[in-house]
């Protein structure tokens, strides 16, 4: 997989850590694998857009590792860089399986819809959930990470429950379109 030069320029300009770059490459590889199968089954996926969105989804981690802020910072950085708004939305909506405006407000964020809408947004969000650092994990690994959040932060159980529901719906949609099993 070739990384577009403008992606590397943005990574370098913001000093994105090597470990985050490797994670983004893993997310891109998972995303492209899913997209290729979906395309083979006769559905349209914009793979150039998908690749760029996957590689830049965590650029916000150059300024914060706060799980509830990095995706917002990613969108801010990409807008500053005049990136295609579709790429911006992939980054802005990749967190977990998304957040509704109500959920975002409850977390102290701008009350805005952060739920993945397009196929490309869903693929990157789902692939990010499968990625464990720079290796591909499983959907069960993601479910176990949510269980760990429940144990460590029981006050967030309302969020992990909604995340499970959304993640399962995205999984089912991508399995149906791709013919893959996650």
């Amino acid at each position: 997989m070739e990384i577009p030069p403008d992606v590397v320029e943005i990574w370098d300009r913001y000093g994105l850590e090597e470990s985050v770059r490797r994670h983004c490459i893993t997310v891109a590889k998972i995303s492209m694998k899913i997209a290729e199968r979906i395309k083979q089954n006769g559905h349209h996926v914009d793979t150039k857009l998908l690749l760029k969105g996957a590689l830049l989804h965590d650029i916000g981690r150059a300024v914060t590792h706060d799980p509830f802020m990095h995706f917002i910072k990613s969108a801010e950085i990409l807008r500053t860089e005049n990136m295609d708004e579709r790429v911006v939305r992939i980054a802005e909506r990749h967190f977990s399986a998304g957040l509704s405006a109500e959920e975002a407000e409850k977390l102290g964020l701008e009350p805005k819809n952060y739920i993945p809408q397009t196929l490309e947004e869903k693929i990157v969000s789902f692939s990010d959930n499968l990625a464990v650092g720079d290796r591909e994990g499983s959907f069960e690994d993601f479910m176990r990470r949510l269980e760990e959040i429940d144990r460590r932060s029981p006050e967030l159980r309302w969020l992990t429950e909604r995340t499970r529901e959304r993640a399962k719906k995205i999984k089912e949609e991508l399995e149906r379109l791709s013919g893959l099993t996650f």
Side-chain angles (χ1 to χ4, degrees):
M1 176 183 64
E2 191 170 328
I3 300 172
D6 60 335
V7 168
V8 176
E9 288 172 20
I10 291 171
W11 284 354
D12 289 347
R13 188 168 18 263
Y14 291 89
L16 190 64
E17 297 169 24
E18 187 60 35
S19 62
V20 180
R21 293 178 193 215
R22 286 193 312 270
H23 165 73
C24 290
I25 291 168
T26 298
V27 171
K29 287 178 180 175
I30 298 167
S31 294
M32 296 304 283
K33 178 175 67 175
I34 294 169
E36 290 305 323
R37 286 295 295 270
I38 289 173
K39 285 176 72 170
Q40 287 172 9
N41 289 335
H43 305 283
H44 175 74
V45 180
D46 186 332
T47 51
K48 286 184 181 178
L49 174 72
L50 181 72
L51 178 63
K52 201 163 276 194
L55 291 169
L56 290 169
H57 80 279
D58 268 353
I59 189 64
R61 291 197 181 271
V63 295
T64 182
H65 284 282
D66 181 329
F68 297 116
M69 284 303 298
H70 81 281
F71 58 97
I72 294 169
K73 292 297 181 188
S74 290
E76 288 174 6
I77 288 169
L78 295 175
R79 285 189 178 106
T80 298
E81 293 292 328
N82 295 312
M83 190 59 59
D84 183 324
E85 186 61 25
R86 297 171 302 162
V87 174
V88 173
R89 284 192 303 268
I90 287 172
E92 190 170 55
R93 296 175 177 169
H94 85 269
F95 174 73
S96 205
L99 294 170
S100 69
E102 170 200 340
E103 293 160 354
E105 186 172 37
K106 194 170 178 177
L107 292 167
L109 306 173
E110 178 185 349
K112 183 175 179 177
N113 181 4
Y114 298 100
I115 296 174
Q117 303 294 313
T118 68
L119 187 53
E120 292 82 6
E121 292 168 11
K122 291 174 185 177
I123 291 171
V124 171
S125 174
F126 186 75
S127 297
D128 189 43
N129 291 339
L130 293 185
V132 181
D134 62 358
R135 70 172 180 83
E136 183 174 348
S138 67
F139 189 73
E140 290 75 27
D141 292 333
F142 177 62
M143 291 292 118
R144 282 192 289 276
R145 289 195 304 273
L146 292 174
E147 290 169 9
E148 182 57 31
I149 292 169
D150 287 343
R151 281 191 290 281
R152 279 195 331 260
S153 305
E155 72 279 6
L156 291 176
R157 187 175 293 274
W158 63 271
L159 178 59
T160 58
E161 286 303 320
R162 292 178 186 178
T163 297
R164 282 180 188 87
E165 292 169 21
R166 279 192 200 109
K168 287 175 185 173
K169 284 182 183 172
I170 293 172
K171 173 184 178 284
E172 290 165 4
E173 179 180 357
L174 295 180
E175 285 180 336
R176 180 177 48 80
L177 293 172
S178 70
L180 296 169
T181 303
F182 303 104

